[in-house]
Amino acid sequence: MALPKIQTPIFDLILPSTEKEIKYRPFTVKEEKILLIAQKSEDNKDQINAVKQIINNCIIQPDNLDIDKLASFDIEYLFLKLRAKSVGEMVKVKLVPQKRENLPPAEVEMNLDDIEPKFAEGHSNIIEFP
């Protein structure tokens, strides 16, 4: 009996911290429901675990990627890319003025595909302790 074929598109991205290629699929309605349940719990730990579970489910290659060992910005980047391919690239964000409370929040539409990490010139992944 042959293995079942994946019925969803597969996308590639480069993980910012390691520059390794990741292959992933969009999350399904069942996985989106995991997010909704975690959101209703209002517990940050439940929400983080739901995001990690969905990323883990959607990563196709490499098989041995350990989500718990990834940097937080890698997890955020992966989830943004997953969300963009699953729900849509455009998202509306409310920006609240920090220093001028009398101004109303501004609603801005952003394209998630345009979000990329930026590394300063001379960036190093080594942390020096004095």
Side-chain angles (χ1 to χ4, degrees), residues 1 6 32 44 52 63-66 74 79 96 111-112:
M1 187 162 120
I6 296 177
E32 191 171 4
N44 286 342
K52 286 181 177 181
D63 295 333
N64 60 350
L65 184 68
D66 188 359
D74 280 335
F79 187 72
V96 180
N111 186 339
L112 295 178

Side-chain angles (χ1 to χ4, degrees), residues 27-56:
F27 55 77
T28 62
V29 174
K30 290 180 184 178
E31 289 158 338
E32 191 171 4
K33 188 173 181 180
I34 294 170
L35 279 177
L36 293 172
I37 292 169
Q39 183 182 17
K40 287 183 181 180
S41 80
E42 295 182 10
D43 183 11
N44 286 342
K45 191 173 184 180
D46 289 342
Q47 294 171 0
I48 291 168
N49 287 335
V51 168
K52 286 181 177 181
Q53 180 181 358
I54 290 169
I55 291 172
N56 198 35

Side-chain angles (χ1 to χ4, degrees), residues 13 15 21 43 71 85 88 95 105 114 116 128:
L13 70 86
L15 204 58
E21 185 177 5
D43 183 11
K85 297 300 183 190
L95 300 176
D114 293 341
E116 293 293 330
E128 295 183 24

